[in-house]
Amino acid sequence: MYLEQYPNRPHILVTAEELPIQQAIMVNDPTSEEGKRLSFTGPADNVMQIVARYMNLTYTYRRPADNSWGTLLSDGSWTGMMGLIIQEEVEMTPGPVLMGHVRSKVTDYSSYVFTGGFGILAARGRPKVNPWGFLLPLSPLVWAGVFTALVPVITVMLVLPSLLPQHANQPPRQETNIFNCVRVLLQEDIRTTREWWWWERVALGVWMMMILVLTQSYVSNLMSLLAVRHIDNPYQSLRDVLDDDIKIVIVENTILHHYFRVSNGGHN
């Protein structure tokens, strides 16, 4: 915003509202009919004093009737300080006013004077022991993949003996091979006195390697879960807050109040 000095020292109306760092006070003013005038303490008024001194002007504060910052209503009108500015009842406000798309369409912002951030505070879940915690290290999709992979391994054990003619005179081993696959999955040993065919060794060897990798991943993740108890984090997006059955404490007629009122989606 370009600042220009006025030679005739004009008087303007300025609007402001209270914040924890900005309080409304009444100061003595002999030029006023009541002998006092409205003023504010805090960084916003300090900025306003600098602007007034540089531009050679004087100003008087005017608070909105509803003592709010202002929000857009369904009929297109504005309340609070925004309403005073849009209706040209005052010339400006030192803020601090949050920048927003809906406000930028009807007003002009200066360069940044204050910067800050906002967050949503919510109660965190308490540490708890989940009786089904032994299932947490692996997602349902992984568990489904394990049992799905068991099917082709068992199928190979059942089908190959009938496809190899050199084994036609051998006693059936399908039942034994099926139990061996299940025993590997359950981390049990395999004992047999018969001679192993080469394809049985390959199939069981591959299955053992898969189960070894899966088991080591499961054990390490399970130890982590047992060492650090699970704590729920209920809010991952604005949509989660809107959908939750809670009471939200927020200043009415502010840009944040507007966002919560009209939002139909959330962002991480």
Side-chain angles (χ1 to χ4, degrees):
M1 181 178 67
Y2 176 73
L3 298 182
E4 179 183 358
Q5 289 188 338
Y6 297 102
N8 56 348
R9 195 174 176 81
H11 183 82
I12 65 173
L13 290 177
V14 178
T15 183
E17 258 307 320
E18 289 188 314
L19 284 173
I21 60 172
Q22 180 172 294
Q23 299 296 323
I25 59 174
M26 299 299 295
V27 297
N28 295 326
D29 185 2
T31 63
S32 175
E33 295 181 0
E34 295 82 5
K36 292 184 178 182
R37 62 178 174 85
L38 175 67
S39 184
F40 282 83
T41 62
D45 185 65
N46 294 338
V47 171
M48 194 64 218
Q49 292 179 27
I50 295 174
V51 172
R53 184 167 60 252
Y54 184 86
M55 298 181 66
N56 190 33
L57 55 81
T58 60
Y59 63 92
T60 300
Y61 281 109
R62 177 182 174 185
R63 296 184 69 178
D66 58 0
N67 295 333
S68 70
W69 296 85
T71 187
L72 178 63
L73 301 179
S74 58
D75 60 0
S77 63
W78 287 80
T79 63
M81 294 195 308
M82 293 296 299
L84 294 179
I85 295 175
I86 294 171
Q87 296 166 16
E88 299 184 354
E89 297 182 24
V90 299
E91 278 70 31
M92 61 175 293
T93 176
V97 178
L98 294 180
M99 299 183 68
H101 176 68
V102 65
R103 286 179 173 176
S104 65
K105 293 191 294 185
V106 293
T107 59
D108 290 326
Y109 287 97
S110 69
S111 300
Y112 291 108
V113 178
F114 303 97
T115 59
F118 287 86
I120 297 176
L121 299 180
R124 297 179 61 185
R126 296 183 178 182
K128 59 183 180 181
V129 177
N130 189 343
W132 297 98
F134 65 92
L135 297 176
L136 294 178
L138 301 180
S139 65
L141 184 61
V142 176
W143 286 107
V146 172
F147 291 104
T148 302
L150 181 61
V151 174
V153 174
I154 294 178
T155 302
V156 170
M157 294 294 189
L158 292 175
V159 174
L160 272 182
S162 61
L163 298 179
L164 298 176
Q166 63 271 31
H167 301 145
N169 297 325
Q170 298 291 334
R173 304 182 179 184
Q174 289 90 335
E175 184 177 350
T176 302
N177 289 333
I178 293 175
F179 281 118
N180 285 339
C181 294
V182 176
R183 291 174 69 87
V184 170
L185 178 61
L186 299 178
Q187 297 290 293
E188 296 183 2
D189 61 339
I190 298 177
R191 297 180 182 180
T192 181
T193 57
R194 64 175 176 83
E195 182 180 355
W196 287 81
W197 294 331
W198 66 268
W199 59 267
E200 290 179 317
R201 296 177 184 273
V202 173
L204 281 177
V206 172
W207 180 241
M208 287 180 180
M209 289 297 297
M210 293 176 56
I211 297 302
L212 177 63
V213 174
L214 181 70
T215 301
Q216 293 303 314
S217 175
Y218 175 83
V219 170
S220 59
N221 289 330
L222 182 59
M223 291 181 63
S224 300
L225 288 174
L226 294 176
V228 180
R229 293 187 177 183
H230 177 68
I231 300 178
D232 289 329
N233 188 7
Y235 302 136
Q236 302 293 334
S237 67
L238 180 58
R239 183 75 261 170
D240 294 336
V241 179
L242 296 175
D243 291 341
D244 197 1
D245 186 18
I246 60 172
K247 293 183 179 180
I248 301 176
V249 179
I250 192 170
V251 179
E252 190 177 6
N253 290 336
T254 61
I255 191 66
L256 295 179
H257 178 246
H258 171 78
Y259 287 151
F260 275 89
R261 181 163 50 88
V262 303
S263 177
N264 58 4
H267 298 280
N268 291 336

